[in-house]
Amino acid sequence: MNSISVEAVYQKNDRVNERLHTLIRSLDRGEIDRIPEDGKWTIANIVEHIAIVDTSMTRVCAKLLRKAEGDSKPGDGCITSSDVFAEKTVEIANLKMEAPDMVQPSGERSIEESLELINGNRQRLEELKPSFEKFDSNEYRFPHPFLGDLSAGEWLMLIGGHKARHIKQIERQVGRK
């Protein structure tokens, strides 16, 4: 088991979020809309996917925290992640994965709209921060399609991890790494 403060997770997620925004601001429209050689997602599609996933993960966090609050399960300001969570996140870090249909980008949202949605999700997470600090974010769980049953705290950590994964994808796509 690994333990980290809620504040530290928020700080990490903020740094990853800023990295994404800085990277996107550094790109021109041609880079953002270019279809890659593999014919898959443009950078605009990747950012739309991130926004969709952020929305889902934020909702899951809120739902699990409401359960903890409803049951008056006090927390200690820390998030405890399981060894299985740590192992599986390392295991999938370099795997090419196919996103489930429900989080596939439609291509109908502009990159600006996607970034706005990401910012809105960030604001909703900020509103959840007092609940993460006050209530137990480790007890209640919701299934992830690849990682199994995750706690609200693990979902919160995954938000930053998911973004970081796609930042690397974008950097590879534009030849920066």
Side-chain angles (χ1 to χ4, degrees), residues 34-41 173:
R34 183 178 305 121
I35 297 172
E37 289 179 15
D38 66 6
K40 290 281 186 175
W41 296 351
Q173 205 158 310

Side-chain angles (χ1 to χ4, degrees), residues 129-142:
K129 188 175 180 184
S131 293
F132 270 109
E133 293 171 332
K134 184 175 181 181
F135 299 103
D136 183 0
S137 66
N138 302 305
E139 182 165 335
Y140 299 103
R141 299 187 170 274
F142 188 83

Side-chain angles (χ1 to χ4, degrees), residues 15 29 48 66 98 101 142 154-155 169 177:
R15 285 191 299 272
R29 183 56 63 182
E48 181 182 3
R66 278 193 304 273
E98 188 70 30
D101 288 342
F142 188 83
E154 290 168 329
W155 281 102
Q169 179 185 10
K177 283 196 180 184

Side-chain angles (χ1 to χ4, degrees), residues 11-20 160 163-164 167:
Q11 288 175 4
K12 284 182 178 187
N13 285 354
D14 284 345
R15 285 191 299 272
V16 171
N17 200 50
E18 184 54 37
R19 271 184 59 212
L20 175 66
K163 258 186 209 131
I167 288 169

Side-chain angles (χ1 to χ4, degrees), residues 1 32 34 39 41 43 50 58 60 72 80 86-87 89 116 118 132 138-139 142 148-149 152 157 160 162 171 173-174:
M1 297 290 232
I32 290 169
R34 183 178 305 121
W41 296 351
I43 291 169
I50 292 169
T58 300
V60 167
S72 298
T80 303
E87 290 167 13
T89 55
E116 188 175 312
I118 289 168
F132 270 109
N138 302 305
E139 182 165 335
F142 188 83
D149 290 343
M157 291 189 294
H162 179 257
E171 289 171 337
Q173 205 158 310
V174 296

Side-chain angles (χ1 to χ4, degrees), residues 104-174:
Q104 290 277 339
S106 67
E108 296 175 9
R109 185 178 283 136
S110 72
I111 195 159
E112 293 81 13
E113 292 168 322
S114 295
L115 290 169
E116 188 175 312
L117 183 55
I118 289 168
N119 290 337
N121 288 322
R122 177 63 192 93
Q123 180 58 45
R124 281 186 279 292
L125 284 171
E126 194 60 38
E127 293 164 5
L128 290 175
K129 188 175 180 184
S131 293
F132 270 109
E133 293 171 332
K134 184 175 181 181
F135 299 103
D136 183 0
S137 66
N138 302 305
E139 182 165 335
Y140 299 103
R141 299 187 170 274
F142 188 83
H144 180 278
F146 300 109
L147 301 174
D149 290 343
L150 303 181
S151 69
E154 290 168 329
W155 281 102
L156 180 65
M157 291 189 294
L158 192 58
I159 289 171
H162 179 257
K163 258 186 209 131
R165 174 186 183 93
H166 286 295
I167 288 169
K168 289 177 184 173
Q169 179 185 10
I170 293 167
E171 289 171 337
R172 284 190 307 271
Q173 205 158 310
V174 296

